[in-house]
Amino acid sequence: MKLWGGRFKDSESKLMEDFNSSLGFDKKLYYEDITGSIAHVKMLTKCNILTEDECNIIIEGLKDILSDIEEGLLKLEGDYEDIHSFMEINLIKKVGEVGKKLHTARSRNDQIAVDMRLYSKKKANEVIEALHELLVIVKNLGEKNPHIMPGYTHLQRAQVVTFKHHMMAYYSMLLRDKKRVVNALDIMDESPLGCCALAGTTYNTDREFTAKELGFKKPVDNFMDGVSDRDYLLELLSCFSIIMMHLSRLSEEIILWSSKEFSFIQISDDFSTGSSIMPQKKNPDAAELIRGKSGRVYGDLMGLLTTMKGIPLAYNKDMQEDKEPFFDGVDTVLKCLKVMSGMLKGIKVKKDNMYKAVKKGFLNATEAADYLVNKGMAFRDAHGVIGAIVIYCEENDKAIEDLTTDELKKFCTLFEEDIYEFIDYSNTLNRGIKKELL
Ligand code: ARG
């Protein structure tokens, strides 16, 4: 069933019909399509293009269709080209001839553009909420665990940090993620409805009215851009890709920390899985899946960027390909944010194991060199002295603080009793990452 048979002599091939049809995926936009149509009809009435009676009949019809869909009485399926044809044909079935007036002064080009903006605004707000929930959980987990742990560079133990400071690094990343989505929402907050196919309409319509009615800041400035702009989807997908990259890095840490080799944390049973063959195993599948799904969201972004790159102005059917990647990207990021929140809630931090790893890692070696610098030695020479001490400690299975002052003096006579306080892990931390950030 089509909206445009008039200028055709032959019927469309079945293959072409299937190829062209988008109802299978744009059915997700049913609510936004109805909302956009109601605003459009109100505007047509205000501008004396439709009568009050026609307006009431069409709006009642659209509202009935909405409740039929939501109650399962009307299935979003069948031989329709897209969600817009589905709505118009069903409206005409419901209210008769007057339904044919719905599409006055509108094209499917501005209709789909406004539907997608409304839908992506709604979903981006859900992402903001999910980010907010995760931010609270990350902060709580950090605050409950202000314990000393090794900090790494090159995945080698480097200097002492706290578990809290480590978690608060993710807090900072996720906070930036939230700001990025808020900013993308601000940039996209303009209504394309009223641009029609690409060059407006001969009717005297009111784009300010529909923009306001649909909750946009203003109508778009340029008609051709209005119907063919998909930047907001790209920008959101790029925000989602950065979120997924952050979630993937955190997942990687969770996978490492929960291994026997690190044993810094334990993931609760409700977010772990077992092995079908190895009875002892508890696998961090939730974290691995999040890490894996980051590739999928990057793919959604790359796919849409590639689709858009060679399209001349204004609307071209290529743009129908914006929907599946966006739907997939937003659904994936929302799921991953929720799973990450659930998993972090149940994480147990193994304070003693982290402390043991600190002791074994010479994590106060840099500070021991600083000690000698404070006593007048050049840093490069101090670096050499402490390097030799580390070799000695490794050979004797000791930490720097386990050596006596006599042993230390054999390497450098500048060592005194005050070295122990200087290289104490808590003291080095408080001097390094300042107390208020720990
Ligand atoms: N299904 C189409 C899309 O998603 C709707 C717009 C169709 N416009 C047109 N001129 N054929 O892009």
Side-chain angles (χ1 to χ4, degrees), residues 4 9 34 52 72 91 116 121 162 210 242 297 299 301 327 340 386 412 435:
W4 43 261
K9 288 197 207 130
I34 291 176
E52 286 285 344
L91 179 71
M116 272 309 265
K121 262 175 88 170
T162 60
T210 42
I242 299 175
V297 177
L301 171 63
F327 295 157
M340 182 58 88
I386 303 298
C412 177
K435 216 179 191 135

Side-chain angles (χ1 to χ4, degrees), residues 84-249:
H84 323 300
S85 330
F86 175 94
M87 288 299 173
E88 195 171 320
I89 293 165
N90 277 288
L91 179 71
I92 296 166
K93 271 191 210 156
K94 222 178 229 312
V95 304
E97 287 297 299
V98 63
K100 293 183 180 169
K101 298 195 173 186
L102 169 67
H103 210 53
T104 316
R106 186 175 70 170
S107 153
R108 278 185 295 167
N109 297 355
D110 59 339
Q111 190 177 357
I112 189 60
V114 81
D115 288 5
M116 272 309 265
R117 287 214 195 206
L118 289 171
Y119 183 83
S120 52
K121 262 175 88 170
K122 175 174 84 184
K123 294 308 258 187
N125 277 304
E126 285 177 32
V127 171
I128 290 174
E129 261 171 55
L131 276 168
H132 181 73
E133 194 190 331
L134 180 57
L135 278 162
V136 171
I137 290 167
V138 165
K139 195 162 181 221
N140 280 345
L141 182 62
E143 273 165 4
K144 271 198 283 165
N145 296 284
H147 321 304
I148 279 175
M149 76 178 289
Y152 295 79
T153 60
H154 312 269
L155 202 56
Q156 306 288 324
R157 289 174 205 166
Q159 285 183 295
V160 186
V161 296
T162 60
F163 187 84
K164 180 181 166 202
H165 199 67
H166 202 129
M167 289 317 291
M168 290 309 281
Y170 285 97
Y171 185 89
S172 295
M173 297 181 215
L174 293 165
L175 200 58
R176 286 196 297 275
D177 290 336
K178 192 170 145 187
K179 286 187 194 158
R180 257 188 287 272
V181 180
V182 169
N183 190 47
L185 275 172
D186 182 55
I187 295 175
M188 70 179 275
D189 199 12
E190 298 182 356
S191 170
L193 191 58
C195 296
C196 297
L198 76 162
T201 172
T202 53
Y203 294 97
N204 198 8
T205 54
D206 186 345
R207 296 191 302 128
E208 293 280 348
F209 178 90
T210 42
K212 201 158 170 233
E213 188 75 16
L214 293 170
F216 290 102
K217 252 186 329 208
K218 64 187 265 299
V220 294
D221 292 331
N222 184 289
F223 284 41
M224 293 175 80
D225 181 45
V227 288
S228 64
D229 167 27
R230 298 294 182 269
D231 292 2
Y232 59 101
L233 298 177
L234 290 167
E235 192 167 9
L236 287 173
L237 280 173
S238 122
C239 296
F240 300 162
S241 295
I242 299 175
I243 295 173
M244 288 305 296
M245 180 268 289
H246 290 155
L247 294 184
S248 184
R249 293 182 72 179

Side-chain angles (χ1 to χ4, degrees), residues 243-261:
I243 295 173
M244 288 305 296
M245 180 268 289
H246 290 155
L247 294 184
S248 184
R249 293 182 72 179
L250 179 54
S251 294
E252 173 62 11
E253 310 239 43
I254 289 170
I255 293 162
L256 287 171
W257 292 344
S258 65
S259 68
K260 279 275 175 293
E261 283 67 19

